[in-house]
Amino acid sequence: MTKALLLLLTSLICLTCFAQQNANTENLIYKVLDDNGNKLLKGSKAYSVSIGIVKDGKTYTKHFGEIEIGTGKKATNETLFEIASVTKVFTGLLMAKAVLEKKINLEDDIRKYITGSYPNLEFAGNPIRIKDMVSFKTGLDRDLPDNIELRKNENDSTAFYCKKLDESYSKMQFFQDLKTVKLDTLPGTVYTYSNLSLQLSAHILENVYHKSYEILLKENILSKAGMTSTQLNIPENEKIANGYNGNHILMPHFSNNLWGSQGLLKSTLNDLTKFLLFELDKKNRFVQESQRNVLNSNQNWYGYFWDGIEVVDNGKFCHKHGGAYGTQTMFVVYPELNLGISIIVNISAPNTYDFLFNTVLEIAEDLKPESKTDKKLYGYKLSNDKVVFTYTYPMKLDASLIKKVSIAGSFNNWNPQDNDFQMVSKGHHIFELEFPKTKFEKGKTYVFKFVINTVGWTTTPKNALNVQDGEDRNLTFKIE
């Protein structure tokens, strides 16, 4: 056999193996989509579920249920949904860009960039800084317009009253009311979710760039990501998908006369998967800044308007939830895994968030290679007279993000801050902690989990043998 022929045969074999590997990956991902999509549809009681997965640069989507009741018609990749507070991630990106371009400074008093005088926007002489605002730690006591009274006794009509309030509220009223808000704590110390922070951010962006918030979105994110269907204000001939509350009553869509920077974007699953790709771009310095640990926290952090960024067993985990009156969206990226997940359901009930969040965790776990291996004991071993707990962080992930690993379980009131249960680093991504068997009651089954940086609760591997029944899939051990 000639050298050229041998090289050709080798190349053909490699291409065949590569094609087979790709086919296996696609089959796995579509199975994961089917399993989790159908489970979410049933559990959440939504009429429609849409899921998009981006893995290693490739996009996979699937739709379940029906988008219009009684028609059997499914949503498509081009169905337009309200994505609500996922809009905040877009605003955060624009703020990150402004910081890197030195239009604003994270340490600056926000009043430096706000039109007008606001002596009330400080607490005991301490002003709100830009970094307090983007991390939801302003200390502001309310949102604008203030709908607290409307939401005190929520019912099926509350959304309609809130919509009416938003429709009658102007930017002029916003700046008048801004003079009356107060800080109830020192800025930078307490997390308080605040739509007011987003409205102020849009105003600041407009002041430093001398362009409207809407144009800044289009020029810097939507056009660059190729998101042709995402917009703040849609033409009258375009239809937004219907959504329902927990009682399955048709809900109104958001209205806003302010900037819309807190939650007015409408998008499609096709565009959201493009945004996942955008957020997974490790070379995009604005994206990297927006996901940075701005406050240098040892636990979780918020980056720029994320709900949270934690270190978990799948690496850095950035998540944002958007809740409209009748739809909810979960938008998640695992940058180190090159994995992004976006889910939209056309129901907005008190327990919808939990279903969405748990589905994301399940999808990420299902995509792990070890989920298909033989079952085995996980997380501990018995050695002579000792119980040795062991946690191994995946080698391909950045262990420098880990400040500590602890054990929380039925034996310490599920307290990840318990000093007696802080694990010791053994190097090579391995953490251990040992106790004498006498510390635990003989014959009793204990349940536990590992926790990274106090807040990153790890998921139990699919191949773990010692698992408690139930949704939480806690690990178990027993001293015989």
Side-chain angles (χ1 to χ4, degrees):
M1 184 180 294
T2 66
K3 187 175 180 181
L5 182 56
L6 180 62
L7 184 61
L8 177 61
L9 287 172
T10 303
S11 299
L12 288 172
I13 290 170
C14 289
L15 285 171
T16 301
C17 291
F18 183 71
Q20 184 62 49
Q21 185 178 358
N22 278 345
N24 290 340
T25 299
E26 288 193 5
N27 289 337
L28 170 63
I29 291 178
Y30 280 115
K31 183 180 186 305
V32 168
L33 279 169
D34 283 336
D35 291 347
N36 287 281
N38 286 313
K39 182 179 177 182
L40 177 59
L41 185 70
K42 181 179 178 181
S44 68
K45 294 182 170 56
Y47 293 116
S48 174
V49 169
S50 297
I51 306 179
I53 295 175
V54 169
K55 179 64 177 141
D56 298 327
K58 292 187 177 181
T59 299
Y60 311 84
T61 60
K62 200 76 181 282
H63 305 271
F64 307 85
E66 54 184 7
I67 195 62
E68 294 179 9
I69 301 172
T71 65
K73 182 181 178 182
K74 291 183 181 295
T76 71
N77 285 356
E78 301 303 328
T79 300
L80 197 63
F81 292 95
E82 290 186 292
I83 61 171
S85 285
V86 175
T87 305
K88 291 178 172 65
V89 178
F90 292 78
T91 307
L93 265 172
L94 293 177
M95 290 293 285
K97 179 177 183 292
V99 167
L100 291 184
E101 291 180 344
K102 300 188 185 307
K103 296 288 186 179
I104 56 178
N105 188 296
L106 284 170
E107 299 294 336
D108 281 344
D109 182 337
I110 63 170
R111 293 175 294 187
K112 178 179 178 180
Y113 307 101
I114 299 175
T115 303
S117 176
Y118 298 91
N120 57 309
L121 297 183
E122 63 178 45
F123 185 87
N126 295 279
I128 302 170
R129 298 163 296 179
I130 294 292
K131 70 179 183 181
D132 302 326
M133 188 166 66
V134 300
S135 57
F136 292 119
K137 292 191 174 182
T138 59
L140 293 167
D141 66 346
R142 61 190 140 120
D143 287 328
L144 297 176
D146 188 352
N147 60 17
I148 288 178
E149 289 300 318
L150 291 176
R151 290 188 174 276
K152 275 187 176 178
N153 298 296
E154 292 206 32
N155 55 50
D156 292 337
S157 299
T158 301
F160 296 91
Y161 291 128
C162 288
K163 178 181 175 71
K164 187 175 181 180
L165 174 64
D166 288 333
E167 287 176 335
S168 64
Y169 196 78
S170 67
K171 286 184 180 179
M172 182 180 293
Q173 288 173 286
F174 173 86
F175 287 112
Q176 289 174 352
D177 290 343
L178 184 59
K179 294 181 182 295
T180 68
V181 302
K182 297 179 181 179
L183 275 65
D184 57 13
T185 190
L186 187 69
T189 58
V190 178
Y191 173 86
T192 305
Y193 195 77
S194 168
N195 282 328
L196 176 52
S197 296
L198 275 297
Q199 305 289 16
L200 287 173
S201 294
H203 172 62
I204 288 170
L205 287 165
E206 290 187 344
N207 276 350
V208 300
Y209 282 108
H210 308 293
K211 293 181 179 181
S212 74
Y213 171 75
E214 188 170 13
I215 288 175
L216 290 171
L217 273 179
K218 290 178 180 178
E219 289 182 349
N220 298 288
I221 302 176
L222 304 182
S223 63
K224 292 184 178 179
M227 300 173 68
T228 56
S229 299
T230 303
Q231 50 203 312
L232 282 172
N233 303 296
I234 67 169
E236 289 186 6
N237 62 335
E238 286 197 48
K239 185 180 186 318
I240 306 172
N242 288 338
Y244 305 84
N245 71 0
N247 294 323
H248 289 93
I249 293 174
L250 183 64
M251 287 287 103
H253 299 302
F254 282 154
S255 295
N256 194 282
N257 293 320
L258 302 179
W259 294 267
S261 50
Q262 86 292 358
L264 212 63
L265 276 176
K266 295 89 181 171
S267 191
T268 63
L269 188 63
N270 185 48
D271 269 14
L272 285 176
T273 55
K274 290 179 180 178
F275 193 45
L276 287 173
L277 285 165
F278 195 80
E279 284 286 343
L280 288 168
D281 184 357
K282 294 180 176 63
K283 295 180 180 179
N284 188 317
R285 63 193 187 105
F286 304 134
V287 166
Q288 298 310 307
E289 172 66 16
S290 72
Q291 298 173 7
R292 185 170 66 85
N293 190 352
V294 173
L295 300 181
N296 297 315
S297 169
N298 286 330
Q299 298 181 7
N300 62 334
W301 67 90
Y302 303 98
Y304 286 67
F305 296 126
W306 289 86
D307 283 344
I309 301 178
E310 292 118 38
V311 182
V312 295
D313 44 339
N314 283 314
K316 193 166 78 168
F317 171 47
C318 313
H319 54 96
K320 188 76 193 78
H321 169 256
Y325 297 135
T327 58
Q328 291 196 23
T329 304
M330 188 65 74
F331 184 88
V332 165
V333 290
Y334 293 92
E336 292 174 88
L337 296 184
N338 204 12
L339 171 65
I341 304 166
S342 187
I343 308 175
I344 314 168
V345 294
N346 69 341
I347 191 171
S348 191
N351 61 353
T352 306
Y353 172 86
D354 292 336
F355 282 110
L356 288 171
F357 196 82
N358 289 334
T359 300
V360 163
L361 299 183
E362 281 291 313
I363 289 173
E365 197 62 30
D366 286 344
L367 292 177
K368 283 184 175 179
E370 56 265 33
S371 66
K372 297 179 289 184
T373 59
D374 293 337
K375 288 188 176 291
K376 59 183 179 180
L377 286 176
Y378 176 83
Y380 82 100
K381 63 182 177 181
L382 301 179
S383 176
N384 297 323
D385 61 343
K386 295 177 181 177
V387 181
V388 182
F389 293 98
T390 304
Y391 174 71
T392 303
Y393 194 62
M395 289 296 295
K396 63 183 178 181
L397 303 180
D398 184 5
S400 69
L401 295 172
I402 298 179
K403 308 300 180 184
K404 61 181 178 180
V405 178
S406 54
I407 308 168
S410 56
F411 39 75
N412 68 346
N413 294 316
W414 293 97
N415 179 13
Q417 300 190 60
D418 187 336
N419 289 331
D420 292 337
F421 287 86
Q422 304 303 310
M423 303 185 79
V424 178
S425 173
K426 297 295 184 179
H428 304 289
H429 292 223
I430 297 172
F431 297 82
E432 283 190 359
L433 188 63
E434 61 181 43
F435 292 98
K437 288 182 180 178
T438 54
K439 183 176 180 65
F440 304 99
E441 185 179 333
K442 198 171 183 179
K444 181 178 180 179
T445 299
Y446 294 92
V447 292
F448 69 100
K449 274 192 175 179
F450 298 110
V451 188
I452 301 173
N453 297 345
T454 308
V455 294
W457 293 75
T458 63
T459 51
T460 299
K462 293 286 184 179
N463 65 331
L465 188 62
N466 50 317
V467 181
Q468 182 188 42
D469 290 337
E471 287 290 325
D472 292 333
R473 287 179 51 79
N474 296 315
L475 293 164
T476 67
F477 77 94
K478 181 166 64 173
I479 308 297
E480 297 292 355

